[in-house]
Amino acid sequence: MNRNSRKEELLRAASLVVARSGPATLTLDAVAAEAGVSKGGVLYHFPTKEGLILAMIEGEISTFEKLVEEGVAADSRAPGAFARAYVRATVAGMSGNGDGGFCGVAAAFANDEAILARYREQTAAWRARFLSDGLTPGKAEAIRIAADGLWYAAVIGAALPDVEGLIAFEAELLSLAGVGKRKNTKVKA
Amino acid sequence: MNRNSRKEELLRAASLVVARSGPATLTLDAVAAEAGVSKGGVLYHFPTKEGLILAMIEGEISTFEKLVEEGVAADSRAPGAFARAYVRATVAGMSGNGDGGFCGVAAAFANDEAILARYREQTAAWRARFLSDGLTPGKAEAIRIAADGLWYAAVIGAALPDVEGLIAFEAELLSLAGVGKRKNTKVKA
DNA sequence: ACTACTATACCGTCCAGCCGGTATAGTATA
DNA sequence: TATACTATACCGGCTGGACGGTATAGTAGT
């Protein structure tokens, strides 16, 4: 099998393990079993567990970032465009796939604080972007933290809004960000 | 030393370990060392690690709940009173002590999903309370998740608002909840 | 004598990482 | 086109350390 496709398969398997059984159960053996590969095979592609988790985080960040940038492009009405895209990307990532998209961060948190550095600097960058989005600081922080809070709640298993609640939640944050008209409707459903 | 005061000392030590070095480093040995007690001493009070973490969570919940109830009592103007108290309690718990007050939940998350059940049912209860607070569902969910998000961000080490940002964040959520006049000002500073 | 520990030794399990080996595919050479 | 060699991808057993928990013997205060 192709090198990169196998790597991505392993990353997906790792996320699945975290999503299904919690970050404490993310062992190399579990990933191997989930992917139908031996432990040696996992270590061939990711020489250390830290490397595996780091790759998970990197993938999650870039996936999310891509979604956000698409949203910004589709809605560039001046103030709050980034905030709106961020909210939409978060909510979309929530209802979309079951595993969320946060398993790498969860795994890092549970396994080794040091690995979180990458995620932490990313949140700082997003915060800066929020603060220069033309909103008041209060709105910027509130929207960012509410959106992130939804992620965190999903990962930890805290109570989540039901379907209508989620829609209302999104609408509330969008109205806080000033409802920019969207150029088109790329995001499905 | 008194039984209960020692127990609380151990709980504080455990929280400190989590806050300082992350939930992955919460071992019985680490707690013992932090509290200046032998490992046997820790196991005397908490026969299992699970019991220790559960006690941490229980303490955190009851501390927070007490803060909220005080806030509700001080501000019982009809709609949004609970939401306002919840927000105030969250922000107060943030700026107050360094360790936050979330270490037990973090430890449970990192160590064993099963222990989180207690916290999960609590969040469901809080959610129900939010939804019957006289606000629109969107506002209720947004405020709750934003407040929780602040906790989560602090624990995971994600970017946080600076001091003025935190004040603005709180004001924003309070205004979403409808700024109830407070009967008195029990909460310091 | 009972409570609340200390100190130390130990057991069993789990797990990351290592290592020797293998199967397969491709390439060079003759 | 047969042989020799190499790289890639993976297998699976092993080891060493960490950690939860047990056990035991002893001690200081009350």
Side-chain angles (χ1 to χ4, degrees), chain A residues 3 6 37-38 40-41 44-45:
Chain A
R3 182 183 194 97
R6 175 68 86 184
V37 164
S38 76
Y44 173 79
H45 290 284

